[in-house]
Amino acid sequence: MGRSSTVKETQALFQSLRSAYAATPNNLKIIDVFVGFAVLTAIIQVVYMAVVGSFPFNSFLSGVLSCIGTAVLAVCLRIQVNKDNKEFKDVAPERAFADFILCNLVLHLVIMNFMG
Amino acid sequence: MPPQTMSAKTDATIGVNGTAKSTSNQAPPPMALPANLKSDLLNKLSLKSFKLKTKQQELLLRVSILFLVYVLAFITRLFSVLRYESMIHEFDPYFNYRTTLFLTEKGFYEFWNWFDYESWYPLGRIVGGTLYPGLMVTAALIYWGLRFLRFAVHIREVCVLTAPFFASNTTLVAYFFGKEIWDSSAGLVAAALIAICPGYISRSVAGSYDNEGVAIFALLLTFYLFVKAVNTGSLTWSLASAFGYFYMVSAWGGYVFIINLIPLYVLVLLITGRYSVRLYIAYNCMYVLGMLLAMQIRFVGFQHVQSGEHMAAMGVFFLMQVFYFLDWVKYLLSDKRLFETFLRITVTTTVGLAAVALGVGTASGYISPWTGRFYSLLDPTYAKDHIPIIASVSEHQPTAWSSFMFDFHILLFLFPAGLYFCFKRLTDATIFIVMYGLTSMYFAGVMVRLILVATPAVCLISAIAVSATVKNLAQLLRTKSKVTQGGSSKAASGSKASSKALLDQSQPFQRNGAIALLLGVFYLLSKYATHCTWVTSEAYSSPSIVLAARGAHGNKVIFDDYREAYFWLQQNTPTDAKVMSWWDYGYQITAMANRTVIVDNNTWNNTHIATVGRAMSSYEDEAYEIMRELDVGYVLVVFGGVTGYSSDDINKFLWMVRIGGGVFPVIKEPDYLVNGEYRVDKGAAPKMLNCLMYKLCYYRFGELMTEYGKPPGFDRARGVEIGNKDIKLEHLEEAFTTSNWIVRIYKVKPPNNRW
């Protein structure tokens, strides 16, 4: 009764989510896959740390934060490139991509310094 | 926002001025007729004859005002250099100077890995890992830059003038910040106000080579870049604000304020429904990059992920991800009901997970609780009961009203007026400045030292009040001519229309009232400038290491005793001699006398300081044992009885007792008091009259006549005749007393031979 309606609601939820997502343009889907990959790498590193121990803590932090940082920057790129965002209408996608590259460069330079 | 203020008013301006020219593009009249020579000359000299459009006139005015403000901020901080000499002030700057000297002599690698064995004998100090390198690296870079250009400056000159230079840069940042929040005229007023505000001058005079001089610049720069990033949503500005945050972390421990204020601001925006993707981009980029950059400073280390003070930022980071995710799902789903179901599931899981994570982290001790220094900001009574060292520092006392008035003057009542204007026009930027102002004013009320952090916010908000008021009043003055032209009522702002309507009714009084009020504003601002200059000259320009007083005939008397004593130490003691003194003087002794000290101003080891405090408050025999254990060769005390100098060791003695008693229960504070009263005359407690500090300060003082008409041994700082005039020292002998008896140095005698 209540339970089946919740299950039905959840199923309807997933259905509409899937159909709406299929409608997003391809370039955004590529960015989404990249974000998913970065988060997955971060999770793998955390699991590895839980197994092996966190001794060079700076190395662990730099690894995880490089994944999280890349994911976050990719999401920012997605926001700026998305044509449906009215606030970024006059920002050229090349400019957004150049910003993304610059921030990633700084991120990875700091990571290289921090890894030890 | 485009600079929209002046251009719309130009026609009215020229109309009021009464000149015939309607535009400023006409060429000046030819100089043919000699009768027109004078008027031609005047025309040439006026701005219009430079063939400038109004935009360029405005730009010229702005640039010249900013240039004058820049120069003003620099020169108003130079009082002590002109009166005394170019030297480093106070106590902490001496350590900074010594480390900068080390950096320029030995290079960055040696500096970063420096282990200092000349302080905290016998423990030593890992300097590379326990300081904030921003100030030293900045001064060293300026020094190397000047040397590269073949200016043969000494590093001390660079150190002395670093703080005024960065104060000038702060005025520029204040201008841009004001422009971002309100408009460019508010920015100009903010720059002018912060150039001379005493709250900032107190820690950034020439010679005050301390972290705050650079840190306030970094603080304001970080806030400006972050607000710019939130307004534009650009990744480059967020990256710039991350770099600004990195500079702040490298410069001062007060960066904790930034890492808590910005998440609080983001939280307030989220709660008031102002979530936007620009906010997401700005905060996330700044947080991740800023955190990584900050962890490069060894002193900060892993605190960003382990310390309770930084957890708010991480919490808000995760919250932002949740908000973005919810926003995205809402956009994908067209059905509102489905979205509400989704919302319910997500919110409950997220809150549950967060609570569990925080609970586990805090309970297992992985996330360390708030350290004493910052916890005492939230609970001001905490330090007095638990950590006497923090409570004993005079800068950590709560602020009195007089300090607020002294440091802010008219800004104190312009601040609420500015808050009113900010609330009238709420944008992301004004919400930020309101939050910054309110939180910093709360902290300024808890600790005197933090008035410095509140100063930029108070100046900016007051500038908004001044600028908006003056603009409204000037509008009243100018709209008169528009009304006479039979102006149509298509006015943009409501105030203009209402002022026009009012003008129709009571025209002459409105204009006179506006003129009177403008004159009043001018009077207030000029009084502010006078007060600030007076305060700077009288109160905040003293080097603390050189004392000045007025002699009997009104002439200036200079007491240079500190440096006299330190140079005596440098020239008359063996190079490996250890000097024991109270921790206040540690930095100065290592920097100027170049000798090893037992404790210094870093105060990182409470037990070591308590040992010194115990030695100072014990009888001579027990103190001698402690001094032999620590290899002490010389003891230095500061005594103000002859000159009336009140910041001497006898007045600080009760803190020595408290700190020593906090670790060694054998030292009990009531032993030194009589009926709860602290006395040094005949009625003083016997332990007080015979402890080491008393003996060292008053040795041979009983025979000295200090004041006409008073008995010998009259202590001018306490205003009483001392109780124990017949002092004999068994294990120490007097090595040196300065000319005004302010610093006294004693040599520790080696133990007697066995028989």
Side-chain angles (χ1 to χ4, degrees):
Chain A
M1 294 177 315
R3 198 150 175 254
S4 67
S5 75
T6 324
V7 170
K8 252 200 239 158
E9 265 185 22
T10 332
Q11 275 184 348
L13 191 69
F14 278 122
Q15 270 303 93
S16 62
L17 269 179
R18 197 173 303 158
S19 58
Y21 186 66
T24 57
N26 266 339
N27 56 349
L28 296 183
K29 277 195 198 158
I30 294 177
I31 299 182
D32 289 340
V33 171
F34 182 57
V35 171
F37 161 70
V39 173
L40 186 65
T41 318
I43 294 177
I44 293 178
Q45 288 186 359
V46 171
V47 169
Y48 180 69
M49 184 273 288
V51 168
V52 170
S54 70
F55 165 54
F57 193 59
N58 54 326
S59 312
F60 163 66
L61 265 185
S62 62
V64 169
L65 283 177
S66 79
C67 295
I68 301 285
T70 323
V72 161
L73 287 173
V75 172
C76 294
L77 174 69
R78 185 189 199 277
I79 292 174
Q80 287 187 329
V81 164
N82 195 353
K83 289 193 187 42
D84 293 326
N85 273 330
K86 311 270 180 320
E87 289 169 351
F88 291 106
K89 239 184 347 192
D90 45 355
V91 173
E94 288 83 12
R95 165 73 199 271
F97 191 63
D99 282 345
F100 172 71
I101 294 291
L102 177 67
C103 288
N104 263 315
L105 194 67
V106 171
L107 175 75
H108 287 99
L109 275 175
V110 180
I111 294 290
M112 297 290 282
N113 183 34
F114 195 40
M115 238 179 344
Chain B
M1 277 183 267
Q4 81 286 39
T5 52
M6 296 250 189
S7 49
K9 304 279 182 304
T10 324
D11 299 326
T13 315
I14 298 179
V16 164
N17 278 346
T19 57
K21 294 198 179 81
S22 57
T23 68
S24 43
N25 280 346
Q26 288 183 2
M31 303 248 300
L33 301 165
N36 293 339
L37 208 58
K38 199 169 179 191
S39 64
D40 292 341
L41 215 56
L42 283 174
N43 284 333
K44 266 221 188 299
L45 286 174
S46 74
L47 276 179
K48 297 182 197 60
S49 69
F50 279 97
K51 292 190 190 173
L52 292 174
K53 296 200 189 18
T54 36
K55 275 254 166 65
Q56 290 171 319
Q57 278 182 27
E58 180 204 1
L59 182 66
L60 179 65
L61 269 180
R62 266 191 289 149
V63 168
S64 47
I65 290 176
L66 275 179
F67 176 70
L68 287 174
V69 165
Y70 192 90
V71 170
L72 174 68
F74 191 83
I75 60 181
T76 189
R77 287 162 165 83
L78 294 181
F79 274 105
S80 71
V81 173
L82 294 171
R83 284 180 186 162
Y84 303 98
E85 61 179 274
S86 158
M87 68 174 139
I88 312 269
H89 297 183
E90 305 247 325
F91 303 108
D92 280 356
Y94 273 99
F95 172 70
N96 298 332
Y97 173 61
R98 181 164 164 255
T99 47
T100 317
L101 200 56
F102 190 86
L103 171 61
T104 51
E105 283 172 358
K106 302 263 175 33
F108 187 71
Y109 194 69
E110 289 293 318
F111 169 75
W112 203 232
N113 294 309
W114 183 19
F115 180 82
D116 183 22
Y117 52 84
E118 275 193 10
S119 57
W120 294 92
Y121 186 85
L123 305 166
R125 177 183 172 181
I126 308 173
V127 177
T130 56
L131 57 53
Y132 287 104
L135 176 68
M136 297 88 186
V137 172
T138 310
L141 283 175
I142 297 177
Y143 171 73
W144 284 325
L146 288 175
R147 283 255 149 178
F148 178 73
L149 296 171
R150 301 293 180 258
F151 286 107
V153 294
H154 189 269
I155 182 69
R156 197 190 66 240
E157 315 298 340
V158 174
C159 291
V160 164
L161 293 176
T162 299
F165 173 58
F166 273 91
S168 301
N169 296 341
T170 309
T171 61
L172 285 184
V173 178
Y175 164 69
F176 285 111
F177 201 3
K179 194 163 143 188
E180 190 66 28
I181 296 176
W182 201 258
D183 59 24
S184 61
S185 30
L188 286 174
V189 180
L193 288 179
I194 203 171
I196 51 176
C197 189
Y200 185 25
I201 287 190
S202 62
R203 304 292 297 200
S204 66
V205 281
S208 173
Y209 181 56
D210 209 352
N211 295 21
E212 287 94 344
V214 180
I216 296 298
F217 168 73
L219 181 96
L220 208 56
L221 186 69
T222 310
F223 283 151
Y224 163 61
L225 292 171
F226 184 69
V227 170
K228 188 95 186 173
V230 171
N231 272 344
T232 58
S234 144
L235 267 178
T236 353
W237 285 110
S238 317
L239 181 67
S241 78
F243 273 115
Y245 177 62
F246 172 55
Y247 189 40
M248 178 70 189
V249 171
S250 73
W252 195 32
Y255 74 89
V256 176
F257 181 64
I258 298 189
I259 202 63
N260 280 308
L261 179 64
I262 289 190
L264 194 65
Y265 165 65
V266 170
L267 204 61
V268 164
L269 281 187
L270 292 178
I271 291 175
T272 54
R274 284 174 179 268
Y275 169 77
S276 63
V277 284
R278 293 174 286 118
L279 182 68
Y280 179 85
I281 294 177
Y283 181 67
N284 277 309
C285 179
M286 190 235 175
Y287 178 63
V288 175
L289 286 173
M291 173 166 75
L292 266 174
L293 283 167
M295 290 202 274
Q296 309 307 306
I297 308 288
R298 279 165 62 193
F299 196 23
V300 173
F302 300 128
Q303 277 182 22
H304 275 73
V305 292
Q306 285 178 339
S307 153
E309 295 149 4
H310 303 78
M311 284 300 118
M314 190 181 285
V316 171
F317 175 67
F318 286 122
L319 191 67
M320 285 294 276
Q321 310 308 318
V322 170
F323 258 81
Y324 175 75
F325 187 57
L326 287 176
D327 205 40
W328 182 49
V329 168
K330 186 168 168 181
Y331 162 75
L332 280 182
L333 292 175
S334 41
D335 188 351
K336 194 159 185 251
R337 211 173 49 87
L338 281 177
F339 176 63
E340 274 169 18
T341 325
F342 181 73
L343 189 64
R344 244 187 310 124
I345 304 174
T346 323
V347 169
T348 37
T349 32
T350 317
V351 170
L353 272 177
V356 164
L358 195 63
V360 165
T362 319
S364 68
Y366 187 73
I367 296 180
S368 57
W370 283 54
T371 58
R373 257 179 72 186
F374 296 111
Y375 189 70
S376 60
L377 286 178
L378 296 178
D379 178 13
T381 60
Y382 178 75
K384 188 99 200 281
D385 299 329
H386 295 98
I387 316 176
I389 280 200
I390 295 182
S392 73
V393 181
S394 63
E395 297 172 318
H396 291 180
Q397 305 310 315
T399 323
W401 271 110
S402 54
S403 294
F404 273 115
M405 188 61 189
F406 199 61
D407 280 342
F408 287 137
H409 204 240
I410 61 166
L411 302 185
L412 211 51
F413 59 80
L414 287 178
F415 180 70
L419 283 181
Y420 164 73
F421 279 107
C422 285
F423 274 109
K424 261 176 65 168
R425 197 211 284 190
L426 273 183
T427 62
D428 289 347
T430 47
I431 291 182
F432 179 79
I433 198 67
V434 163
M435 287 197 59
Y436 175 27
L438 292 176
T439 48
S440 59
M441 278 305 257
Y442 168 70
F443 289 125
V446 173
M447 224 187 238
V448 170
R449 189 178 181 185
L450 295 178
I451 284 191
L452 173 73
V453 176
T455 303
V458 169
C459 285
L460 278 164
I461 295 182
S462 313
I464 291 178
V466 170
S467 168
T469 313
V470 169
K471 194 168 290 180
N472 286 340
L473 291 174
Q475 241 174 13
L476 282 178
L477 280 181
R478 286 189 188 132
T479 50
K480 172 183 179 279
S481 59
K482 269 221 159 143
V483 167
T484 58
Q485 289 169 19
S488 56
S489 55
K490 289 219 175 56
S493 61
S495 63
K496 203 168 168 187
S498 63
S499 68
K500 264 201 211 161
L502 282 170
L503 273 174
D504 288 323
Q505 291 171 19
S506 56
Q507 196 168 308
F509 300 117
Q510 200 75 16
R511 188 147 182 265
N512 289 343
I515 292 182
L517 283 177
L518 273 178
L519 281 178
V521 170
F522 176 71
Y523 172 74
L524 273 182
L525 289 176
S526 60
K527 273 282 171 239
Y528 171 70
T530 322
H531 169 87
C532 293
T533 319
W534 174 81
V535 164
T536 312
S537 160
E538 290 300 315
Y540 289 143
S541 296
S542 100
S544 296
I545 192 169
V546 170
L547 310 163
R550 294 253 161 238
H553 306 284
N555 56 325
K556 192 168 207 173
V557 180
I558 304 253
F559 299 121
D560 208 1
D561 288 41
Y562 281 102
R563 295 197 290 175
E564 189 185 339
Y566 299 141
F567 285 120
W568 183 91
L569 266 183
Q570 191 183 34
Q571 288 161 356
N572 293 293
T573 57
T575 43
D576 61 352
K578 327 290 184 268
V579 180
M580 181 172 93
S581 70
W582 192 234
W583 60 260
D584 289 6
Y585 316 108
Y587 280 157
Q588 287 181 341
I589 295 177
T590 32
M592 276 193 270
N594 209 13
R595 293 287 176 268
T596 311
V597 289
I598 307 292
V599 289
D600 68 15
N601 307 55
N602 191 27
T603 64
W604 65 270
N605 190 335
N606 195 26
T607 312
H608 218 50
I609 296 183
T611 314
V612 171
R614 178 183 173 190
M616 294 295 195
S617 15
S618 315
Y619 293 123
E620 198 182 342
D621 295 324
E622 300 156 23
Y624 185 64
E625 273 175 37
I626 300 177
M627 289 194 283
R628 289 293 302 162
E629 271 173 30
L630 290 173
D631 283 347
V632 175
Y634 291 85
V635 181
L636 185 146
V637 293
V638 170
F639 171 59
V642 174
T643 47
Y645 177 53
S646 55
S647 309
D648 65 349
D649 279 357
I650 292 285
N651 277 346
K652 292 181 193 164
F653 182 62
L654 271 186
W655 284 110
M656 299 187 201
V657 170
R658 283 181 194 137
I659 295 175
V663 177
F664 301 103
V666 67
I667 307 283
K668 299 187 215 9
E669 192 183 339
D671 288 345
Y672 300 86
L673 304 171
V674 174
N675 294 335
E677 205 186 313
Y678 180 57
R679 297 169 66 168
V680 294
D681 55 359
K682 272 206 185 40
K687 184 124 197 217
M688 178 73 204
L689 289 176
N690 289 303
C691 69
L692 185 70
M693 176 56 75
Y694 191 94
K695 281 185 163 181
L696 294 182
C697 282
Y698 291 122
Y699 183 66
R700 287 193 308 115
F701 183 63
E703 312 144 4
L704 193 68
M705 282 280 287
T706 51
E707 222 174 283
Y708 180 69
K710 294 276 193 304
F714 183 74
D715 183 343
R716 289 177 72 188
R718 259 65 54 181
V720 294
E721 184 186 348
I722 62 168
N724 186 359
K725 292 189 190 175
D726 192 22
I727 296 177
K728 302 253 183 302
L729 288 174
E730 191 185 333
H731 300 288
L732 297 116
E733 60 182 8
E734 187 182 359
F736 183 67
T737 301
T738 56
S739 43
N740 296 306
W741 287 55
I742 292 188
V743 183
R744 311 194 67 181
I745 303 178
Y746 293 84
K747 183 169 185 297
V748 176
K749 293 201 281 205
N752 290 326
N753 290 327
R754 287 300 168 95
W755 55 81

